Amino acid sequence: LTTSNATSTNTSQHQQVALQQQQQQASVPRHVGNHRTPATKWYMKIKPTEMQASSDNQIKPKVLPQELIRRHKRIAFLGIMHDNLSKGFVNILENDPTHRWDQVYILFPSDGCLRNHLAKNYQDCSVETLIRNKQECRKTLMKILSPVVHNLRFLQYDQLMHCGSYWDWKDPGGFIHVSPLTWGANPKTCPAMNYYWNSRVPSPEYRVYREGLEYLLGTAIPFEEEESGGVGSDLRRTSLREEFCDVIEENGPQ
């Protein structure tokens, strides 16, 4: 009987000690994670664009997400036809007629660039048709965007390295969509990559594409002027370069 009582007392003491330890552990803050740079940081800054396939396993043309147009205030589109761009803005304005954007740049290829290079990617369309489509697209976008965009610019470039779109690219939280061209393929179905500024400073890859846009805006000319340029285009290039230099000075030499 004495042995049984001693065993029962020891068991009760062990239970009390275990309960005290549990209470102490519950009162001590638990550290979850750390502030070290994660080993997978590369995957958080760069992400392939998810492409959709048709029933016959062919890649569908890329569609611009509506949420991006609604959320971002400063956008630059670097493309060829931009024929689907107006639909995105129209849908946003139909849902919210008071919506406004601070800045939208839309860059088209010059007629010479279409003739000498890009027409090869549109085998079912003549160069003359591409040029007419480009003009009509600009007119449509001008009509839609001029009342709702504070700083709207239509520009032309002579050399295309890739298609893409830039979303609040000057500030943290922005990102850059890049779609390289593939020989003989329709630009709308070419695979693409997204580069995110989701850290204190942008990644080296992000900065390369941001600086590429800076260079292009410094050499592009307004759509309305002659492709050969002139005094007006030189002044325009200077102002664009000064604008981007101000941005670099604010963010530091990154």
Side-chain angles (χ1 to χ4, degrees):
L1 181 62
T2 302
T3 303
S4 176
N5 289 339
T7 302
S8 177
T9 301
N10 291 336
T11 302
S12 178
Q13 291 176 347
H14 286 308
Q15 290 176 345
Q16 291 178 357
V17 171
L19 181 60
Q20 291 176 354
Q21 290 177 344
Q22 291 177 356
Q23 292 175 346
Q24 291 175 355
Q25 291 176 354
S27 63
V28 176
R30 300 182 63 184
H31 297 282
V32 179
N34 56 66
H35 294 288
R36 294 192 297 270
T37 301
T40 58
K41 66 175 183 178
W42 186 83
Y43 296 99
M44 297 192 301
K45 297 178 183 295
I46 303 176
K47 178 185 177 183
T49 299
E50 297 182 12
M51 309 293 288
Q52 301 294 325
S54 60
S55 57
D56 56 353
N57 205 30
Q58 298 294 318
I59 294 180
K60 293 182 178 180
K62 294 185 287 289
V63 178
L64 189 63
Q66 298 293 301
E67 177 60 21
L68 292 181
I69 302 177
R70 187 196 65 79
R71 186 171 70 239
H72 292 275
K73 295 297 184 182
R74 295 179 177 87
I75 315 170
F77 297 101
L78 170 60
I80 302 177
M81 290 292 103
H82 300 295
D83 48 351
N84 291 324
L85 191 55
S86 59
K87 297 178 183 178
F89 284 99
V90 167
N91 290 336
I92 296 297
L93 292 170
E94 285 180 347
N95 294 325
D96 180 13
T98 65
H99 195 95
R100 297 294 182 268
W101 291 267
D102 295 336
Q103 171 184 301
V104 175
Y105 292 167
I106 304 176
L107 292 97
F108 291 84
S110 65
D111 294 353
C113 184
L114 280 173
R115 288 193 182 94
N116 300 327
H117 303 287
L118 299 178
K120 300 174 183 178
N121 292 79
Y122 293 88
Q123 300 178 1
D124 58 343
C125 195
S126 66
V127 175
E128 290 72 19
T129 300
L130 291 174
I131 293 175
R132 285 197 302 270
N133 290 346
K134 182 184 73 168
Q135 295 284 351
E136 290 301 320
C137 182
R138 181 201 168 280
K139 291 179 182 178
T140 301
L141 289 168
M142 172 65 81
K143 182 178 180 179
I144 296 171
L145 297 180
S146 57
V148 296
V149 178
H150 176 68
N151 182 9
L152 175 63
R153 295 173 183 169
F154 294 93
L155 303 169
Q156 292 188 112
Y157 56 82
D158 289 321
Q159 183 181 17
L160 178 65
M161 306 301 291
H162 61 80
C163 294
S165 54
Y166 294 69
W167 308 82
D168 288 319
W169 67 95
K170 304 175 186 178
D171 305 310
F175 82 95
I176 299 172
H177 169 84
V178 177
S179 179
L181 298 184
T182 301
W183 295 276
N186 189 317
K188 295 181 180 180
T189 61
C190 292
M193 293 290 291
N194 297 327
Y195 295 81
Y196 297 88
W197 184 350
N198 53 10
S199 54
R200 186 177 62 85
V201 296
S203 66
E205 297 88 354
Y206 188 101
R207 294 199 301 268
V208 168
Y209 283 111
R210 185 179 68 178
E211 292 166 3
L213 179 64
E214 173 190 348
Y215 175 86
L216 183 58
L217 291 175
T219 58
I221 64 173
F223 201 147
E224 296 83 357
E225 297 186 8
E226 294 293 332
E227 294 184 14
S228 59
V231 176
S233 63
D234 291 339
L235 292 174
R236 188 77 202 97
R237 293 169 185 169
T238 300
S239 61
L240 285 169
R241 284 195 179 279
E242 290 174 349
E243 177 181 337
F244 272 83
C245 287
D246 291 341
V247 171
I248 297 300
E249 289 176 0
E250 293 175 0
N251 294 328
Q254 302 162 357

